[in-house]
Amino acid sequence: MTSRNLHAALRPPSPRRGWVWWLPLVAVAVDVLAEFAVQGREPVSFMLIAVPPLAAATRGPRGTALSAVVCLGLEMWMAARRPGHFDEQHHIAMYVATLLIGVASVALSWQRERTRRHLIRANSVAEAMQRTLLRPVPRRLGPVRAFAFYEAGEGGTLVGGDLYDVCETPFGVRAIIGDVRGKGLNAVQTVAAVLGSFRVSAHEWQSLSSLAERLELSIARNSPAGDDGDPELFVTALVMEFPADGGEVRIVDRGHPAPLVIGPEGARRLVTAPGLPLGLGGLAGREDDTTVHALAAGEVLVVYTDGISEARDADGVFYPVMERLTARFRGERTPAPETVVSFLRTDSGQWSARSDDDDRAALALSLAAPAVHIPARTSLSPP
């Protein structure tokens, strides 16, 4: 992106002309009509004092200053229509009040515009961070079709504590989904550490268990130290692999909700070997806990975070992910991953009776066709 395009992207958009935008013009028009209606018998110009603050709510400093000047001129014109009233004391006081309120309104307008520009730049930075951390998932990687969605639960934020990624490696297509305990900057920092490590280590370590250990190490190395650190920081995650020769999926479960597979008979839950979440692996011995499951072409593997499975309705009932997916997709032979994710996003949102502050993320993957074998390069895993 060029410098000119970057400045154009950060330039505040022009505000929409809603009903508030028209209020200053309406107030001036009403005051002028009232002046002609009373034929100067009653002073009505005092209403113009309110116009500059109304203009400051929707216009920039120049527009606000122009409204103050116009109102001051109208007040003088209306006073001049009544002989002897132009330089009366109360009229002079009104002129001064309009001038002072106009100056204050210009200052308020300038501050509002400054704040708006700051928020737009902050949102632009947050969007860039989100694209960096949670990059758009390609629709097709080798034999795998994929689709994902993410929504931050904390209002006004774009990045939270959920994570996912999919990449094509010499060992096949690999994917991860995870949920960081906690919120705020510590959670975002942990998301960045885990995703950064995954994007590098997924291409280097042949064993999924070894890959999970590398992710564990990245959390230990990048977790905040001192008083800002979280002694109970951990990440629940699923690390998955679709081998190049196809027909199966390999899964390492680190305390995350187990995957679902959607087929013609509906949804079924895969049995995994749950281990301790990432960040707590040092409390248990290391072993290869990879589970292997057959996956037919056209079946859709669905993984999600607890922001979906723990959404509650008005009666406090958790969202039944497997049952809802079964009811929707039973009988469909090859549902598209984007269709599955779109349904899960909409349906779980409608199920929730209140505005939850938990992040929501879902990832759907399916084998589109038999894959061509990709020769694996030397692994860093122990033999």
Side-chain angles (χ1 to χ4, degrees):
M1 179 179 289
T2 64
S3 176
R4 179 178 300 178
N5 292 336
L6 178 60
H7 286 295
L10 296 180
R11 186 181 301 120
S14 300
R16 295 182 178 180
R17 295 187 177 184
W19 63 272
V20 177
W21 192 91
W22 296 99
L23 280 181
L25 300 178
V26 172
V28 171
V30 169
D31 196 86
V32 172
L33 291 175
E35 172 67 19
F36 283 106
V38 301
Q39 295 294 324
R41 293 187 300 271
E42 297 292 338
V44 296
S45 58
F46 67 90
M47 292 190 298
L48 294 171
I49 297 178
V51 173
L54 292 176
T58 56
R59 289 163 174 79
R62 293 182 180 180
T64 304
L66 178 61
S67 70
V69 172
V70 170
C71 290
L72 185 60
L74 287 174
E75 289 171 353
M76 293 181 176
W77 170 72
M78 292 178 184
R81 295 183 74 236
R82 304 172 64 196
H85 285 257
F86 180 82
D87 55 353
E88 280 187 352
Q89 184 175 2
H90 70 278
H91 279 91
I92 293 177
M94 183 173 61
Y95 304 153
V96 174
T98 302
L99 180 62
L100 294 178
I101 292 176
V103 171
S105 298
V106 170
L108 289 175
S109 175
W110 177 82
Q111 180 62 35
R112 181 183 61 82
E113 289 291 300
R114 180 184 178 187
T115 302
R116 188 163 68 97
R117 287 193 296 268
H118 174 75
L119 290 176
I120 290 173
R121 289 189 174 93
N123 285 337
S124 299
V125 172
E127 289 176 3
M129 180 184 298
Q130 184 185 39
R131 294 190 185 100
T132 301
L133 294 181
L134 299 178
R135 298 181 299 198
V137 173
R139 295 292 185 95
R140 183 73 176 261
L141 297 95
V144 176
R145 297 170 59 192
F147 197 80
F149 96 90
Y150 171 80
E151 286 182 354
E154 191 172 351
T157 63
L158 295 174
V159 181
D162 286 0
L163 60 95
Y164 61 79
D165 200 9
V166 184
C167 60
E168 191 171 10
T169 75
F171 317 110
V173 175
R174 286 180 165 177
I176 184 174
I177 189 168
D179 188 352
V180 179
R181 177 195 174 275
K183 301 180 182 299
L185 293 178
N186 285 347
V188 175
Q189 182 175 344
T190 303
V191 167
V194 172
L195 287 179
S197 178
F198 173 78
R199 288 163 183 166
V200 174
S201 301
H203 296 265
E204 299 176 345
W205 295 84
Q206 184 173 8
S207 167
L208 279 187
S209 294
S210 298
L211 174 57
E213 292 177 11
R214 297 300 298 180
L215 301 181
E216 182 103 26
L217 183 60
S218 71
I219 295 177
R221 289 177 173 174
N222 293 279
S223 59
D227 296 336
D228 295 334
D230 185 353
E232 298 180 355
L233 178 68
F234 62 83
V235 182
T236 65
L238 291 172
V239 184
M240 297 156 284
E241 177 183 283
F242 297 83
D245 52 6
E248 64 183 29
V249 57
R250 300 167 185 168
I251 303 172
V252 168
D253 186 349
R254 290 292 185 261
H256 200 79
L260 299 175
V261 172
I262 300 176
E265 301 301 321
R268 69 181 189 274
R269 193 174 300 278
L270 298 182
V271 178
T272 60
L276 291 176
L278 300 176
L280 302 178
L283 301 178
R286 297 181 179 181
E287 59 182 10
D288 189 350
D289 50 2
T290 304
T291 58
V292 182
H293 302 271
L295 190 65
E299 289 186 324
V300 179
L301 179 77
V302 183
V303 290
Y304 50 87
T305 60
D306 60 10
I308 292 178
S309 58
E310 295 182 1
R312 302 190 185 194
D313 63 6
D315 298 324
V317 178
F318 288 116
Y319 178 70
V321 185
M322 186 167 66
E323 290 78 4
R324 301 291 288 185
L325 289 174
T326 296
R328 168 62 179 84
F329 293 102
R330 176 181 286 156
E332 291 194 25
R333 303 194 63 85
T334 56
E338 51 267 32
T339 303
V340 174
V341 168
S342 297
F343 168 77
L344 200 57
R345 179 179 190 174
T346 303
D347 194 53
S348 62
Q350 293 175 348
W351 178 277
S352 180
R354 57 190 176 87
S355 179
D356 295 324
D357 60 355
D358 199 3
D359 303 332
R360 296 195 305 153
L363 175 64
L365 308 108
S366 68
L367 292 177
V372 177
H373 179 69
I374 302 175
R377 56 194 175 108
T378 303
S379 169
L380 299 182
S381 300

